[in-house]
Amino acid sequence: QVQLVESGGGSVQAGGSLRLSCVISGRIYATNCMAWFRQAPGKEREGVASSYTTNSLTSYLDSVKGRFTISRDNAKNTVYLQMNSTKPDDTAMYYCAAALLSYGDCRSMRRNNYNYWGRGTQVTVSS
């Protein structure tokens, strides 16, 4: 099993920054793709960013490109999501997810491909 624990959420004014963290434990070797998803009230959960361990490539939702950055600190078994230039539309519960996937599947960020999930951390961006 793989355990994921998110932290770092909170409230921020539009244009501000937040850094989310996801600590990974357990059978880390059973995963090669880490991703951040988000779900706003009444909306589907959507992939925001993913990181493929094998080649270190990353992928992003179009609406966050240039504003969000996913990164890993392997020594700390932690994945980060740096959120800059935030907008009210970024308000959502943010979830960390992990899986063993092909590069293409990791890049596509389809929710059903991920079998390990954290409990989420709330991000609220006010205008």
Side-chain angles (χ1 to χ4, degrees):
Q1 284 286 16
V2 175
Q3 292 79 41
L4 306 172
V5 179
E6 305 96 334
S7 63
S11 297
V12 64
Q13 286 194 324
S17 297
L18 278 176
R19 189 177 78 159
L20 307 183
S21 300
C22 173
V23 177
I24 313 154
S25 60
R27 298 176 61 205
I28 299 172
Y29 57 86
T31 65
N32 65 353
C33 176
M34 298 296 302
W36 285 95
F37 285 74
R38 68 185 181 187
Q39 187 167 17
K43 294 188 177 181
E44 294 290 319
R45 191 172 298 188
E46 63 179 356
V48 174
S50 67
S51 174
Y52 194 58
T53 303
T54 305
N55 57 18
S56 299
L57 292 180
T58 57
S59 299
Y60 295 93
L61 181 68
D62 284 347
S63 62
V64 308
K65 284 181 180 176
R67 301 189 298 119
F68 291 8
T69 303
I70 186 171
S71 63
R72 298 183 63 137
D73 184 334
N74 291 326
K76 296 182 178 179
N77 291 331
T78 302
V79 176
Y80 302 100
L81 184 69
Q82 179 67 44
M83 305 170 60
N84 297 331
S85 302
T86 54
K87 303 176 180 180
D89 284 349
D90 296 324
T91 295
M93 183 72 79
Y94 282 72
Y95 298 90
C96 182
L100 183 65
L101 299 174
S102 66
Y103 171 60
D105 283 342
C106 183
R107 182 180 179 184
S108 68
M109 293 186 284
R110 294 191 186 93
R111 173 184 179 178
N112 290 342
N113 285 339
Y114 291 80
N115 48 341
Y116 300 112
W117 292 87
R119 293 188 175 185
T121 185
Q122 178 67 39
V123 172
T124 302
V125 183
S126 58
S127 56

